[in-house]
Amino acid sequence: MIQTDILIIGAGPTGLFTVFEAGLLKLRCHLIDALPQPGGQCSEIYPKKPIYDIPAYPEILAGDLTKNLMEQIKQFEPGFTLGERADTIEKQDDGTFIVTTNKGTKHQAPVVAIAGGLGSFEPRKPPIPNIADFEDKGVEYMIKEPELYRDKDVVIAGGGDSALDWSIFLTDVAKSVTLIHRRNEFRGALDSVEKVQELKNLGKINLITPAEVKAVLGENHVTGVVVEEKGKEPYMIDTDHFIPLFGLAPKLGPIANWGLEIEKNAIKVNNALDYQTNVEGIYAIGDVNTYPGKLKLILCGFHEATLMCQSAYKRIHPDKKYVMKYTTVGGVDGFDGTRKEAPKAVVKAIQ
């Protein structure tokens, strides 16, 4: 059983910033996310796309925003359960909650903060009739452990950043990498497209466009795929793994069955006070919530996280009074023993 003060469902920007605000209040956090790494959409869908409305950053790449947030919360030592989806929630007699993931990992906390963005992300699967038969048997929709592909033949399908970036990365890991896309043009970062072109010219990536994978072959494990290339008869490619990277579709998922008030696939909250749901002790912050005037912006999620943590502190420590101090005055004390503070003024007389 993993125990913490605030259990955060979702490790996107809002969930990560919650760790910082909670840390200032001496509250520990643990985060659950279905994706294999922190950052939510910023890491998985558009890591190389710029964001222009983060305060003090005229422009910052989504992936860099995630890195900065991880650096900012490092001294508060958050825990992570990644690659698992929050499945069920049970309220205990003492008022705490036990949240269990789809893989059976249990977490207990007096406060649950749902910061799941647009929900849990499910992979968009290609319309291949027998593909479900090979899931976890050579068909993977997300790459969690690159070493799984060491010295293997790999076929990747897709035309976005994920397909490009993983094709580049796996050239140093896999025995062979084949990238298949239904168009000649790719929608990804220019430097990634140019890198794939370079690796293709060097013979390190087998690029097939325009083409689509129409069938997966094998018995107990993938042994090949059938490719339909424009202007040619379908043909087979031997491979150990087929990785279709067609993006992720957001779904509220099992959270929709937690007894929370839902409106248009979002969780209704009390925005006049603390972003608490209709269940006391469960909050919803960021894109996953809704209230009059709601804006689905990262900076709004940061604001909601800040107010939510103040309310969480009162719930966890009802007999304590918290006096807010600006970080410029009080500094920041990490759970790892580190301290950040402004340089102290030098007291010296002027002769």
Side-chain angles (χ1 to χ4, degrees), residues 78-153:
F80 289 92
T81 298
L82 300 174
E84 300 184 31
R85 183 188 64 232
D87 229 12
T88 63
I89 190 167
E90 301 171 79
K91 192 165 187 178
Q92 307 302 295
D93 293 338
D94 62 358
T96 64
F97 300 90
I98 292 179
V99 174
T100 306
T101 70
N102 60 318
K103 294 187 178 179
T105 308
K106 292 184 178 294
H107 311 72
Q108 186 173 23
V111 169
V112 174
I114 302 172
L118 298 174
S120 63
F121 286 91
E122 303 292 334
R124 290 191 174 96
K125 303 179 182 181
I128 298 174
N130 65 336
I131 194 167
D133 298 336
F134 293 97
E135 291 173 357
D136 297 323
K137 298 176 183 177
V139 169
E140 294 87 31
Y141 302 107
M142 290 185 286
I143 296 178
K144 299 178 183 178
E145 299 177 15
E147 280 300 312
L148 177 67
Y149 309 101
R150 174 71 63 182
D151 301 323
K152 303 290 186 181
D153 293 314

Side-chain angles (χ1 to χ4, degrees), residues 187-231:
R187 295 178 63 87
L190 181 59
D191 61 332
S192 297
V193 176
E194 291 175 343
K195 183 64 175 178
V196 168
Q197 179 69 63
E198 177 188 341
L199 291 169
K200 179 203 171 201
N201 295 342
L202 293 171
K204 293 185 176 182
I205 288 180
N206 178 27
L207 184 64
I208 305 176
T209 60
E212 293 184 74
V213 173
K214 290 297 185 179
V216 181
L217 307 176
E219 293 184 8
N220 296 322
H221 196 277
V222 172
T223 58
V225 294
V226 175
V227 178
E228 190 173 284
E229 189 174 352
K230 188 174 181 179

Side-chain angles (χ1 to χ4, degrees), residues 145-154 169-176 240-241:
E145 299 177 15
E147 280 300 312
L148 177 67
Y149 309 101
R150 174 71 63 182
D151 301 323
K152 303 290 186 181
D153 293 314
V154 175
F169 183 89
L170 291 178
T171 56
D172 293 327
V173 177
K175 179 182 178 182
S176 71
D240 300 302
H241 294 272

